[in-house]
Amino acid sequence: MINRQKDERDDRLERLFAAARETPPDVSAVERNFETRLAARIRESRERKEPWYGWAWRLAPVFVVLTLLLGAWTLVLDPVHPADPGTALVSVAEQVALVDDLTGG
């Protein structure tokens, strides 16, 4: 009895599928103004603004050059130029101690 009900349901389902296959799809709503909608969508995608992080990648070389220039400027124009080599060594030792204190090293 269960197989008979299952067979009837399968037959009914097959008839529904066959009817759906024979019926042509209604594409009238899609056909109307298709080119206009496509052109509007393309225009919208072209006019979309670029996100902020896109500019960051474009400006990365500028940031690298600025960093290198600041580093060179710091090395060349060091405000502390001791004439005595002993003073220079003590100054460097103080700077290392300061960095160690600040970084917790």
Side-chain angles (χ1 to χ4, degrees), residues 51-65:
W52 64 270
Y53 50 84
W55 280 102
W57 278 110
R58 288 184 182 165
L59 292 175
V62 174
F63 295 142
V64 169
V65 169

Side-chain angles (χ1 to χ4, degrees), residues 19-89:
R21 279 189 230 110
E22 292 173 4
T23 306
D26 181 23
V27 292
S28 61
V30 177
E31 291 173 351
R32 193 180 70 219
N33 297 330
F34 174 74
E35 293 86 5
T36 307
R37 288 182 286 137
L38 180 63
R41 185 175 289 178
I42 291 171
R43 192 177 323 109
E44 178 187 338
S45 68
R46 287 183 181 168
E47 292 174 355
R48 219 178 281 155
K49 297 193 188 251
E50 188 173 0
W52 64 270
Y53 50 84
W55 280 102
W57 278 110
R58 288 184 182 165
L59 292 175
V62 174
F63 295 142
V64 169
V65 169
L66 283 174
T67 304
L68 292 174
L69 287 174
L70 284 173
W73 184 44
T74 302
L75 291 175
V76 171
L77 298 176
D78 190 11
V80 179
H81 283 295
D84 182 24
T87 309
L89 291 174

